Amino acid sequence: MNETICALATAPGGAIGIIRISGTQSLEILSRIFSKDVTDVPPNTIHYGHVADIDEVLVSVFKAPHSYTGEDSAEISCHGSRYILNKVLELLIANGCRQAQPGEFTQRAFLNGKLDLSQAEAVADLIASSNRATHQMAMSQLRGDFSSELSRLRDQLLKLTSLLELELDFSDHEDLEFADRSELTSIAKEIDKRITHLAHSFETGQALKQGIPVAIVGKTNVGKSTLLNRLLHEDRAIVSDVHGTTRDTIEDTIDINDVTFRFIDTAGIRQTTDKVEQIGIERTFASIQKARIIIWMIDKEPSQEELIKISNITENKRLIVVRNKIDKVENKPFALVKIPLIEISAKHGDHLADLEQAIFQAADIPTLSDTDIIVTNVRHYDALCRAGHSLTRVLEGLQTGLSGDLLSEDLRQVLDTLAEITGGQITTHEVLGNIFKNFCVGK
């Protein structure tokens, strides 16, 4: 924290490149290589000048504590040449800066109290956001909506814990209770309900963040690869009249109504003696297990045996039956009993909009508002689950008449576990290192 760090904050190759500096010596080091002394300039100002004889630049100056990191910091806007950017970084390092580690600027913002830990993690999610849903979730967390919700829960718990611990100071009076047990039970149930709701939102959060997995399955040569290519608007999978062309799973993503779907084209299901194709078929069934939505492709009316089979392997999955090749004259229309059927021509793109809408509806994604809190982080989910287990012990203890000191201990465990999410209980550098190691350099 005593060192001054620097890093390129923009991707190389653009018209403009930005180099960030942060630390107690930021302005002094910058003044050594810049054509103007910026140590005494007003904060939040921009200055034109030259860095040695390398480039003409604009320098933005920020002073502690009113900066992203909470430290004195600056940003140098240069031309985007790799040579120029590298030479400016070399000058900064030669004059006392150190190359920043991944996520070190945001880590310093956390350590200096500019962000709590969940907000710091949201920075990485915001950079990685690829559609409206993931952007919305990251912005909500960065604004502190999740932190505020946890703060409200902790305030309620802290009040109850304080009353229980106050009873311990009057342990000589066995019948004295400051915390009404019925009120405590009611509040604990409400908190438990909210924690459970937040934990359950993790499944939706992960689906939106990683992409909702959709497996395209069916017999060989029904048009699975053609459908994938049509959905992706590119020739991603090999298409051939030869049976068993697709021998492995092929994955790619598209956005439908601002939600990312991860499509998996699978090997055709059939009896075969080809060992490589058999491996592909085994992976098809593995993809079915992982998928949230199954597109079962057919090109003719299935037998009753096939209907039973597909119903069994897609149990607890959202199933969409797609009849392909309706452009062929010999393919007469038919209907399936109790199973919705969408008819398309993957070759010509007929009715693909209907299929995309059916896929989106099958995902059953709740409509997100700006105030909705969706958990997307595994660390947060784990902490919520542990807090829920501790709160369950509290409720069981209240039901069995457990003593106030033991109830207080379990409530304290809930408080500490929730504090892990925002950083109140993070004490080791190893934990912080694991959190920030996947950030990009310069952020």
Side-chain angles (χ1 to χ4, degrees), residues 26-310:
S26 294
L27 304 184
E28 288 84 351
I29 292 172
L30 178 57
S31 295
R32 293 173 199 157
I33 70 168
F34 188 46
S35 56
K36 179 178 181 179
D37 186 347
V38 294
T39 53
D40 294 322
V41 300
N44 308 320
T45 54
I46 299 176
H47 305 271
Y48 168 79
H50 293 78
V51 171
D53 59 350
I54 298 171
D55 195 15
E56 55 180 354
V57 301
L58 290 176
V59 167
S60 305
V61 175
F62 310 94
K63 295 189 176 180
H66 305 296
S67 70
Y68 178 72
T69 60
E71 305 170 328
D72 284 351
S73 62
E75 292 182 352
I76 306 173
S77 297
C78 315
H79 289 95
S81 157
R82 287 178 180 269
Y83 173 79
I84 291 173
L85 295 169
N86 286 335
K87 292 301 289 184
V88 174
L89 283 170
E90 288 173 9
L91 270 177
L92 288 170
I93 292 170
N95 281 275
C97 279
R98 168 176 65 77
Q99 175 69 43
Q101 298 297 316
E104 192 169 0
F105 289 95
T106 304
Q107 184 173 347
R108 290 190 175 199
F110 162 68
L111 293 172
N112 288 323
K114 301 296 289 186
L115 302 167
D116 68 35
L117 199 53
S118 69
Q119 290 175 301
E121 289 167 308
V123 173
D125 287 343
L126 187 62
I127 293 170
S129 62
S130 58
N131 54 50
R132 184 180 60 82
T134 51
H135 173 265
Q136 193 172 345
M137 291 187 298
M139 283 299 298
S140 172
Q141 189 171 321
L142 185 59
R143 283 196 306 265
D145 295 346
F146 186 32
S147 303
S148 297
E149 175 73 2
L150 294 176
S151 179
R152 285 190 291 271
L153 295 176
R154 293 184 74 241
D155 286 345
Q156 291 177 288
L157 286 165
L158 191 59
K159 179 181 177 182
L160 297 174
T161 305
S162 300
L163 290 173
L164 284 171
E165 292 181 355
L166 186 60
E167 291 178 2
L168 301 179
D169 294 334
F170 294 87
S171 56
D172 294 338
H173 304 275
E174 296 181 359
D175 297 330
L176 188 60
E177 288 187 352
F178 288 96
D180 180 84
R181 295 307 190 260
S182 60
E183 180 185 1
L184 180 55
T185 300
S186 177
I187 295 175
K189 284 182 177 178
E190 282 298 314
I191 296 173
D192 182 59
K193 182 179 178 181
R194 188 56 186 156
I195 288 176
T196 300
H197 175 77
L198 288 171
H200 284 172
S201 74
F202 177 70
E203 182 180 358
T204 298
Q206 279 294 97
L208 291 172
K209 189 175 178 179
Q210 304 296 335
I212 298 169
V214 182
I216 307 173
V217 302
K219 291 183 176 182
T220 57
N221 272 20
V222 292
K224 300 185 298 297
S225 297
T226 303
L227 175 62
L228 178 68
N229 290 341
R230 180 65 69 172
L231 289 168
L232 298 175
H233 302 290
E234 63 173 298
D235 291 336
R236 181 71 173 79
I238 297 173
V239 176
S240 169
D241 292 333
V242 178
H243 288 273
T245 301
T246 303
R247 297 189 170 206
D248 202 351
T249 56
I250 301 172
E251 296 190 24
D252 215 327
T253 61
I254 65 168
D255 285 356
I256 301 174
N257 296 345
D258 284 325
V259 173
T260 300
F261 290 83
R262 182 161 43 88
F263 285 89
I264 310 163
D265 180 23
T266 63
I269 300 173
R270 68 167 180 161
Q271 294 293 330
T272 180
T273 57
D274 188 304
K275 290 184 178 180
V276 176
E277 191 178 350
Q278 284 176 346
I279 294 172
I281 293 170
E282 289 173 6
R283 293 184 179 182
T284 294
F285 286 103
S287 296
I288 290 172
Q289 294 302 315
K290 295 176 182 177
R292 184 164 171 172
I293 300 170
I294 308 294
I295 295 177
W296 178 35
M297 286 196 71
I298 56 178
D299 57 3
K300 61 182 179 180
E301 188 168 3
S303 65
Q304 189 61 34
E305 182 182 351
E306 287 177 302
L307 288 171
I308 294 172
K309 185 176 182 180
I310 197 67

Side-chain angles (χ1 to χ4, degrees), residues 308-347:
I308 294 172
K309 185 176 182 180
I310 197 67
S311 296
N312 289 336
I313 65 175
T314 60
E315 190 176 2
N316 299 323
K317 308 286 184 182
R318 294 299 182 106
L319 175 63
I320 301 173
V321 182
V322 176
R323 181 206 172 197
N324 191 23
K325 304 181 183 179
I326 61 169
D327 52 298
K328 292 191 174 182
V329 177
E330 64 270 21
N331 283 350
K332 296 180 181 180
F334 59 84
L336 298 178
V337 179
K338 297 181 180 179
I339 301 179
L341 178 68
I342 296 176
E343 296 187 320
I344 69 165
S345 169
K347 182 178 181 179

Side-chain angles (χ1 to χ4, degrees), residues 339-374:
I339 301 179
L341 178 68
I342 296 176
E343 296 187 320
I344 69 165
S345 169
K347 182 178 181 179
H348 298 289
D350 297 341
H351 306 305
L352 281 190
D354 296 336
L355 175 57
E356 289 183 351
Q357 189 58 32
I359 293 168
F360 181 78
Q361 291 175 352
D364 196 25
I365 299 297
T367 302
L368 301 180
S369 69
D370 291 337
T371 57
D372 284 333
I373 300 171
I374 303 294

